[in-house]
Amino acid sequence: MLGLVATMSITGIVLYYLSTFVGVNVLILSLFPILVLNVIISAKIKYEEPKESFRHLLQSFRTAERILFTVDFLITLRRTFLNNYIPLILLYIFTDFTSQKISFYLTLFTIPT
């Protein structure tokens, strides 16, 4: 079926650009045997879906849980870094500014987390 979709997409693009030079009816009639052959080949391909069991369902839940835990951990790490460590880094680097000026700056220009 993917071959048929790709063929139809390419056919549509080709028909659009070639329709100014050659008639659309001639183009469609020339591509008709290719489309029929693609339909015949697609109909002969046998596909069987794998049988799902309860064990596979639980395994997919465990995999999804690991992924969500990892994403949640990275979000929490980012929030911790932005909210806690950036002010400390600014205080360490910019020794000319007082901590009140840096906290005022961070209050005005809060980094969205």
Side-chain angles (χ1 to χ4, degrees):
M1 285 311 234
L2 291 177
L4 183 61
V5 171
T7 303
M8 293 303 284
S9 298
I10 294 170
T11 303
I13 294 169
V14 169
L15 284 176
Y16 177 76
Y17 286 110
L18 288 180
S19 64
T20 56
F21 303 112
V22 182
V24 177
N25 294 336
V26 174
L27 290 173
I28 291 175
L29 288 176
S30 65
L31 292 172
F32 188 72
I34 296 172
L35 295 175
V36 170
L37 181 65
N38 197 0
V39 168
I40 292 170
I41 291 172
S42 298
K44 288 188 177 185
I45 294 175
K46 293 182 181 178
Y47 175 75
E48 293 180 15
E49 292 206 17
K51 303 240 177 184
E52 293 290 331
S53 66
F54 188 67
R55 180 178 292 163
H56 290 104
L57 181 66
L58 289 178
Q59 185 66 29
S60 65
F61 283 153
R62 288 183 189 135
T63 305
E65 182 182 352
R66 283 189 214 125
I67 292 171
L68 289 176
F69 177 76
T70 304
V71 170
D72 192 37
F73 172 74
L74 292 174
I75 291 171
T76 305
L77 187 67
R78 178 179 157 263
R79 283 185 183 154
T80 303
F81 180 75
L82 289 177
N83 292 336
N84 298 329
Y85 291 121
I86 286 183
L88 292 175
I89 292 170
L90 289 175
L91 281 172
Y92 183 73
I93 292 175
F94 300 110
T95 56
D96 300 339
F97 298 111
T98 62
S99 60
Q100 288 83 12
K101 286 184 183 179
I102 292 177
S103 65
F104 179 71
Y105 174 77
L106 290 173
T107 304
L108 291 178
F109 303 104
T110 306
I111 301 169
T113 52

